[in-house]
């Protein structure tokens, strides 16, 4: 039995507890983690099902940080499936929340994803502008302090290739 299978079984037990007893303390974490495990297993339908459950709970609780985290996970799925238009829309939601909450980590991740989505849509000038916004931003990303350096590098690549 693989470790992923063990994790899924454990999380599904948690899901049953939620269904039977309404465990609101852990419901969000369980659904997000089920979404992540299924995403890693490339079971996208199941992954999106659990991300959807988690998003509904996060929205009902007005948990904006959880909404951003789930949205970033969904953006990864859209990137992998080359659904750049949906990815762009999801990125814009996350960016707005990140700016509202002054969250540099989420801001930079979503901006970077937005730039990637625009490049996927062959909107190179717009993508380059997004990466420039990362460079110019007053927000700081303590987890990925090199975000601005990476954005500068991507701008150069776009400039030379397109």
């Amino acid at each position: 039995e693989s470790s992923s299978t063990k994790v899924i079984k454990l999380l599904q037990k948690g899901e049953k507890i939620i269904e039977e007893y309404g465990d609101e303390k852990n419901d969000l974490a369980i659904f997000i983690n089920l979404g992540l495990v299924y995403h890693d297993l490339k079971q996208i339908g199941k992954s999106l099902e659990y991300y959807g459950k988690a998003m509904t709970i996060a929205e009902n609780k007005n948990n904006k940080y959880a909404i951003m985290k789930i949205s970033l996970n969904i953006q990864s799925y859209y990137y992998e499936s080359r659904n750049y238009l949906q990815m762009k829309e999801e990125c814009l939601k996350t960016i707005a929340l990140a700016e509202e909450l002054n969250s540099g980590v989420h801001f930079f991740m979503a901006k970077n994803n937005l730039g990637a989505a625009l490049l996927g849509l062959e909107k190179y000038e717009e993508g380059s502008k997004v990466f420039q916004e990362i460079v110019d931003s007053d927000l700081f990303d303590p987890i990925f302090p090199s975000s601005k350096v990476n954005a500068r590098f991507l701008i150069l690549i776009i400039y030379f290739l397109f």
Side-chain angles (χ1 to χ4, degrees):
E1 185 173 47
S2 73
S3 59
S4 295
T5 304
K6 289 177 185 176
V7 170
I8 288 172
K9 285 182 179 180
L10 180 64
L11 290 170
Q12 285 175 334
K13 286 180 185 178
E15 182 180 13
K16 287 180 183 176
I17 291 170
I18 291 168
E19 289 171 1
E20 289 181 31
Y21 303 105
D23 180 5
E24 292 185 18
K25 184 177 180 185
N26 298 306
D27 56 359
L28 194 54
I30 288 171
F31 291 134
I32 290 172
N33 285 313
L34 277 164
L36 287 170
V37 173
Y38 282 115
H39 188 126
D40 288 344
L41 293 171
K42 305 292 186 221
Q43 294 184 26
I44 301 305
K46 286 290 237 184
S47 177
L48 289 176
E49 175 187 336
Y50 285 107
Y51 286 152
K53 287 181 179 184
M55 185 65 83
T56 299
I57 292 166
E59 288 171 346
N60 289 339
K61 292 180 177 182
N62 198 29
N63 185 336
K64 294 178 182 181
Y65 284 100
I67 292 168
M68 286 188 296
K69 181 176 182 174
I70 297 161
S71 179
L72 286 166
N73 293 337
I74 293 170
Q75 290 166 37
S76 295
Y77 159 71
Y78 287 142
Y79 181 78
E80 291 167 11
S81 64
R82 295 190 165 115
N83 189 342
Y84 302 119
L85 193 56
Q86 285 295 114
M87 182 181 175
K88 176 185 169 188
E89 296 305 314
E90 202 65 40
C91 291
L92 293 172
K93 289 183 219 171
T94 305
I95 290 166
L97 282 173
E99 289 177 329
E100 176 186 337
L101 299 173
N102 199 32
S103 176
V105 173
H106 296 99
F107 174 82
F108 285 113
M109 291 173 77
K111 276 285 191 179
N112 185 63
N113 289 350
L114 177 60
L118 291 168
L119 294 181
L121 292 168
E122 298 181 6
K123 296 184 177 191
Y124 305 113
E125 189 173 326
E126 286 181 58
S128 181
K129 286 180 184 177
V130 168
F131 291 122
Q132 186 63 50
E133 289 170 8
I134 293 171
V135 172
D136 295 340
S137 172
D138 291 334
L139 290 174
F140 176 71
D141 183 348
I143 294 177
F144 303 107
S146 62
S147 295
K148 293 183 182 208
V149 174
N150 293 340
R152 283 187 185 104
F153 181 69
L154 289 169
I155 292 167
L156 288 173
I157 290 172
I158 294 166
Y159 176 77
F160 285 112
L161 293 178
F162 307 103

